[in-house]
Amino acid sequence: MKKRLAFTLIELLVVIVIIGILIALIVPAVQAAREAARRSSCQNNLRQIGIAIHHYHNAYSRFPSGWIADAPEGEPGWGWASLVLPYMEQTNIQNLVNYSGHIDATVNARARQYKLPNFFCPSGNAGQLGVLVLKDDAARDEPHDHGHLPIKIAAANYVGIFGTVEVKNPG
């Protein structure tokens, strides 16, 4: 009887097909596990935000306002997320905020553009920076003429409704 020194072509093809089928079965399971981890991270972020809002309530006997501003028109100002920063262990970022000045002030540039991981869902599609554009009720597509230009702000997946100001994703 003659001794075989190698696999036949058919044996090799069968092994490759079996390996391909196993990989095809494993890839969706790995992707599902990754998405489950992302979803868990999103839920954890929302839980941390909710706890921070309740800690704010315990400190001030009220929930943070959705929007604070220094002008009757309500523009441009700071949102609820800036008020709960100390309760999310982000006091260093809140210390950068000058609440007496406009959000578009140069002194507030670092604070408004700082990307906080707690406000991003790994499954989300928020970009790095959004653009805050002031809108006039009479001409919804034209910026206000109050000397404020559209400004760049950190994007986030967890935002609230805050009036006639619109945030656009630049790209």
Side-chain angles (χ1 to χ4, degrees):
M1 187 162 160
K2 191 174 180 184
K3 207 176 186 187
R4 290 186 354 186
L5 298 175
F7 291 111
T8 66
L9 182 59
I10 293 179
E11 290 172 331
L12 188 60
L13 289 176
V14 168
V15 169
I16 290 173
V17 168
I18 290 172
I19 291 173
I21 291 171
L22 289 175
I23 289 174
L25 293 172
I26 291 173
V27 168
V30 170
Q31 290 174 340
R34 286 181 181 167
E35 185 56 33
R38 287 187 208 106
R39 186 173 45 253
S40 176
S41 178
C42 290
Q43 290 171 344
N44 186 48
N45 287 344
L46 289 170
R47 185 177 300 111
Q48 288 179 359
I49 291 169
I51 290 170
I53 288 171
H54 282 281
H55 281 303
Y56 181 94
H57 181 271
N58 289 343
Y60 297 100
S61 297
R62 62 183 168 86
F63 287 111
S65 61
W67 184 255
I68 56 173
D70 61 354
E73 309 84 60
E75 62 166 77
W78 294 93
W80 61 269
S82 67
L83 299 173
V84 300
L85 287 173
Y87 307 102
M88 297 177 70
E89 298 180 2
Q90 298 293 335
T91 306
N92 55 339
I93 303 303
Q94 191 187 39
N95 290 339
L96 296 174
V97 177
N98 178 0
Y99 288 101
S100 63
H102 277 239
I103 192 172
D104 64 352
T106 306
V107 69
N108 287 322
R110 284 186 56 208
R112 74 171 179 259
Q113 293 180 13
Y114 190 85
K115 179 183 169 187
L116 287 168
N118 298 47
F119 291 114
F120 281 88
C121 179
S123 295
N125 60 356
Q128 297 295 319
L129 292 176
V131 177
L132 186 66
V133 180
L134 304 176
K135 294 288 191 171
D136 188 353
D137 289 335
R140 300 293 289 170
D141 293 327
E142 298 296 321
H144 278 292
D145 189 17
H146 296 293
H148 306 293
L149 298 173
I151 56 174
K152 291 184 177 182
I153 60 172
N157 291 117
Y158 315 118
V159 296
I161 297 173
F162 50 88
T164 60
V165 179
E166 181 179 328
V167 177
K168 292 185 177 180
N169 189 343

